Amino acid sequence: MLAKNAASVAILALLIMFSASPIAFASESESTRFKASFSGPFHTIASTPTTITVAVTGEGRATHLGDSDLSATVTIVLATGVGTSTDTTITASGDEHEDNLFLTTVTSETAPSPQGIIILSGTYTITGGTGEFSGATGSGTVSGTVSIPAGTVTERVSGTITLLDE
């Protein structure tokens, strides 16, 4: 009976010790500023009486990635001017490791000016990534312009990114 009680006390002591201290293999994270800017073409890939969907590609530069490429599919609700992209991807140019950053963006687009210029503004949320950006999170603002006559988009993002420390 005494041996059974001693074993129970030892197990209880171990449980208390492990529950009171952080697990050694838990990942830590570090939040830093994130900025990026891109420009490139867009083209319409679908339209209905209420929405238009465009594919956007661009080249630019992003914090933590350097020279980068952007791709996104944006669906804009014509009545509200709200555009949503759940597949925005930023990839480091020429990256043999395929480090990608995934974002969701929600923007408001103004009506086109007489010159065919649309102003966009909104927010982004980092939803993950691959390579060194696996598990990344963050958020911030999106701004830019669309030139309908030129068929181009210029976009800037600014906010934070949190990367997991390995």
Side-chain angles (χ1 to χ4, degrees):
M1 176 86 154
L2 188 56
K4 186 175 182 181
N5 284 342
S8 295
V9 169
I11 291 171
L12 182 59
L14 285 172
L15 288 172
I16 290 170
M17 184 174 69
F18 282 116
S19 66
S21 63
I23 297 173
F25 55 84
S27 294
E28 296 180 21
S29 59
E30 179 182 326
S31 183
T32 59
R33 292 189 45 78
F34 179 71
K35 289 182 142 187
S37 60
F38 298 94
S39 60
F42 74 90
H43 66 275
T44 302
I45 56 175
S47 64
T48 70
T50 58
T51 64
I52 185 168
T53 301
V54 296
V56 177
T57 57
E59 295 179 346
R61 191 156 182 82
T63 310
H64 308 286
L65 287 111
D67 291 338
S68 305
D69 300 310
L70 174 129
S71 66
T73 305
V74 182
T75 299
I76 303 162
V77 177
L78 298 174
T80 62
V82 173
T84 303
S85 170
T86 58
D87 71 344
T88 300
T89 302
I90 300 173
T91 304
S93 297
D95 182 9
E96 65 276 359
H97 304 294
E98 297 202 18
D99 291 327
N100 294 301
L101 194 57
F102 306 130
L103 293 82
T104 294
T105 62
V106 178
T107 56
S108 294
E109 283 81 15
T110 63
S113 71
Q115 297 79 23
I117 303 298
I118 297 171
I119 306 297
L120 61 93
S121 63
T123 60
Y124 75 86
T125 303
I126 297 173
T127 58
T130 61
E132 80 173 76
F133 299 103
S134 180
T137 59
S139 61
T141 60
V142 178
S143 61
T145 58
V146 177
S147 171
I148 295 172
T152 60
V153 176
T154 300
E155 186 172 285
R156 293 169 302 286
V157 298
S158 178
T160 62
I161 184 171
T162 301
L163 302 172
L164 294 178
D165 289 337
E166 302 263 345

